[in-house]
Amino acid sequence: MAYSTLTEFRNTFLRQAEQKIKESDLASADNTSLITLAALLKSYDVVNRFDTIVPDAVAPLELMTGAILDVYLSDISNGQSFNLVLNSAEAMAAIVRSPSAMAAIAGSARAMSAVVGYPVAYNAIVASSVAMSQIAISATAMTAMAASQAAMSAMVASQAAAAPVAASQVAISAVLASPLALTTVVASQVTMTPIAANQAAITAMLANTPALTAMVVSTASMVAIASSPTAITAVLANAAAVAALVASQTAMTAVAANQAAITSLLANAPAVALLVVNQVGMTSVAASPVAMTALLVNTAALAAALASTVAMTALAANQAAMNAFAANQAAMTALLANSAALAVVIASPVAMSAVAVSPTAMIAVAANPTALAAVIASPTALAAVAPSSVAMAAIAANAIAITSCAANAAAMTAFNSSDVAMVALYSSPLIKKMGWGSAVIWSAVTNVQTGPCLFVRLTTTGPNAWGENTSGNEYVVFDGTNVNFAGRAANPYNHTALASPMRVPVRKTLTTLQVRLYAPSEVAYIPLAS
């Protein structure tokens, strides 16, 4: 029959050999039979030397040092016996419970060379904190483990192995010396978590360029580092580590998602200086609600971001980031005070769409003449503001803002292209309205406002329109210039709305606003300071 493991073969051999020895008749045996029985007994003794069930089986190893075990294993027969032990789950279960037996194995190059060839052996070792405590402090053992992909894969998946490795500078040095081991370790959150929590271990990893390079592109490593205050402190103390971190999307995504980590980073001036000039890093910050919250409450970090075109470009391109920005009064005040940052925002459709729908942001814009001037000078910004009821309500409620917009041809064109804008102006707390009954002011032109004003709306009421439609009998007079409108038998009818033919558009007057009307009418306007 075939055997799936050497352990199965061994156990079967011992049973059958024992049975044959017991059944033999020494008294009647000839010389050949005696020689055969002697050989069978010797084989039984060799195979059974490390009994997998009896605890005393580990006794020979417990009496050895690594050097002695190395010499012992130089004998081929002893090596073969040792290999049988390594392939026995029962034997390994007993050995890994013995610190002295494991110390001997960890100190022997021959033993460790054999261990990494047997899954039964290295799986038992990495699953035992007792065994790994000896392996991790032995350069011989860790060098052998670090050279074996199979053994390393088993080790980094084991919680029992992780802590001893992280606590041992010998183990960390072996990992750093082996590209294979390093690649395996940095991909394991199980192993990287205790390493990140160990100051000596993480400091050594960060000081090693290949390790640093590997960690910042590993999600497992960066989640472990971001979750550890010890690791973040070590990163921030290492300029090369900070530079690598802020330049890596993987690294910054992990850090930006962790409140403690991003708060610590933003509190570190050298780190912030590197972050705000790195597009990758700032893009990750902009994409993280956690990071944006931390940024907006950190005055120094926010000031650095506002002063950086790279940082502001990344923020302005992210809708969620700008929504957070626009909703924060202090942040908006700081933004509007920074001309370079403001220029980036008003040039960005994404950013302006966030600003335009935020009452906090638009009230701040309307109250800031410089910012408002920048907004109305930007086609992009105006395109976002004019269709927004929130934005227009803020502008319409501010006399200085209305005055500035009324004096700007581009702003007036944008407002006249948006019913939303015109409704907001009509709803302004600054609005003035004058109304007349049918034919009350028909006989002559009537003065509505002397001095600058913004004409907002003409409304007539039916049911009977004047009926002369486009004739010159009814009109609005802007600084002496007549503007006709069409008669409409609607009740009421807004002659300023986009749908109205022969519109009477929103318009600024410098000297007088006058009307000649027949139908019952209302004129709405906002007085201006200039």
Side-chain angles (χ1 to χ4, degrees):
M1 62 174 291
Y3 298 96
S4 58
T5 66
L6 287 177
T7 298
E8 184 182 356
F9 169 81
R10 171 182 176 277
N11 292 338
T12 303
F13 176 85
L14 290 174
R15 285 194 303 270
Q16 294 187 4
E18 181 180 6
Q19 182 179 351
K20 290 184 180 297
I21 290 171
K22 289 179 178 179
E23 291 175 349
S24 63
D25 183 359
L26 294 178
S28 61
D30 57 20
N31 289 340
T32 301
S33 297
L34 288 173
I35 291 172
T36 301
L37 286 170
L40 183 59
L41 181 62
K42 176 62 176 176
S43 297
Y44 182 93
D45 177 61
V46 170
V47 174
N48 192 46
R49 186 176 306 167
F50 292 90
D51 193 327
T52 62
I53 299 175
V54 180
D56 291 344
V58 300
L61 283 174
E62 291 179 324
L63 298 176
M64 295 182 185
T65 64
I68 292 173
L69 179 58
D70 220 38
V71 173
Y72 177 81
L73 293 177
S74 64
D75 179 83
I76 295 176
S77 176
N78 292 338
Q80 292 173 341
S81 298
F82 185 65
N83 290 345
L84 290 174
V85 171
L86 295 179
N87 204 39
S88 166
E90 296 87 348
M92 288 308 303
I95 289 172
V96 297
R97 292 195 295 267
S98 170
S100 55
M102 281 307 307
I105 291 175
S108 166
R110 283 191 173 90
M112 285 306 304
S113 178
V115 163
V116 298
Y118 288 91
V120 171
Y122 60 68
N123 282 325
I125 288 172
V126 300
S128 166
S129 58
V130 172
M132 281 305 302
S133 293
Q134 298 301 320
I135 295 291
I137 60 175
S138 167
T140 298
M142 282 304 303
T143 298
M145 294 288 283
S148 167
Q149 181 65 71
M152 283 304 302
S153 295
M155 188 186 81
V156 299
S158 168
Q159 294 282 359
V165 169
S168 169
Q169 283 297 292
V170 171
I172 295 298
S173 295
V175 168
L176 294 176
S178 167
L180 181 154
L182 179 59
T183 300
T184 308
V185 166
V186 300
S188 167
Q189 195 169 339
V190 170
T191 304
M192 282 303 302
T193 296
I195 287 177
N198 185 292
Q199 185 175 6
I202 193 61
T203 299
M205 295 282 283
L206 293 171
N208 182 284
T209 300
L212 175 60
T213 301
M215 286 190 294
V216 296
V217 296
S218 165
T219 299
S221 287
M222 288 312 307
V223 168
I225 289 171
S227 301
S228 168
T230 298
I232 290 297
T233 299
V235 168
L236 295 176
N238 184 319
V242 174
L245 184 147
V246 301
S248 165
Q249 183 178 359
T250 299
M252 279 305 302
T253 297
V255 170
N258 186 290
Q259 184 176 7
I262 192 62
T263 299
S264 295
L265 189 151
L266 294 175
N268 184 286
V272 170
L274 290 174
L275 172 62
V276 297
V277 296
N278 190 288
Q279 184 179 5
V280 172
M282 284 307 304
T283 298
S284 297
V285 168
S288 166
V290 173
M292 283 304 302
T293 299
L295 174 64
L296 295 176
V297 299
N298 186 312
T299 304
L302 179 60
L306 291 172
S308 166
T309 301
V310 171
M312 286 307 303
T313 299
L315 295 174
N318 187 288
Q319 185 75 55
M322 286 309 303
N323 287 344
F325 220 117
N328 186 294
Q329 186 173 3
M332 279 305 301
T333 299
L335 168 63
L336 298 179
N338 187 301
S339 58
L342 179 60
V344 173
V345 169
I346 64 177
S348 166
V350 172
M352 280 309 304
S353 67
V355 170
V357 298
S358 166
T360 299
M362 283 309 306
I363 289 171
V365 168
N368 185 314
T370 301
L372 182 65
V375 167
I376 62 180
S378 165
T380 299
L382 277 176
V385 167
S388 167
S389 58
V390 171
M392 286 305 305
I395 290 174
N398 188 294
I400 296 176
I402 285 291
T403 299
S404 297
C405 290
N408 185 282
M412 295 310 298
T413 298
F415 293 175
N416 270 304
S417 300
S418 167
D419 277 325
V420 171
M422 289 184 282
V423 168
L425 292 172
Y426 186 72
S427 302
S428 168
L430 306 175
I431 201 77
K432 302 290 184 183
K433 299 174 182 178
M434 292 184 67
W436 304 272
S438 178
V440 170
I441 57 170
W442 166 242
S443 58
V445 171
T446 298
N447 197 59
V448 177
Q449 165 73 4
T450 299
C453 76
L454 180 66
F455 167 80
V456 174
R457 180 181 295 183
L458 167 65
T459 307
T460 60
T461 304
N464 297 316
W466 173 248
E468 295 189 38
N469 210 16
T470 59
S471 72
N473 290 328
E474 290 184 297
Y475 43 81
V476 181
V477 185
F478 296 97
D479 296 330
T481 300
N482 295 359
V483 175
N484 297 110
F485 59 91
R488 285 291 181 271
N491 189 11
Y493 191 83
N494 178 3
H495 292 272
T496 306
L498 288 174
S500 175
M502 293 189 66
R503 288 181 60 215
V504 184
V506 175
R507 179 169 172 173
K508 178 183 178 181
T509 65
L510 294 174
T511 57
T512 56
L513 173 62
Q514 299 169 307
V515 292
R516 184 184 180 193
L517 304 167
Y518 181 82
S521 308
E522 176 194 85
V523 173
Y525 64 99
I526 298 175
L528 301 176
S530 61

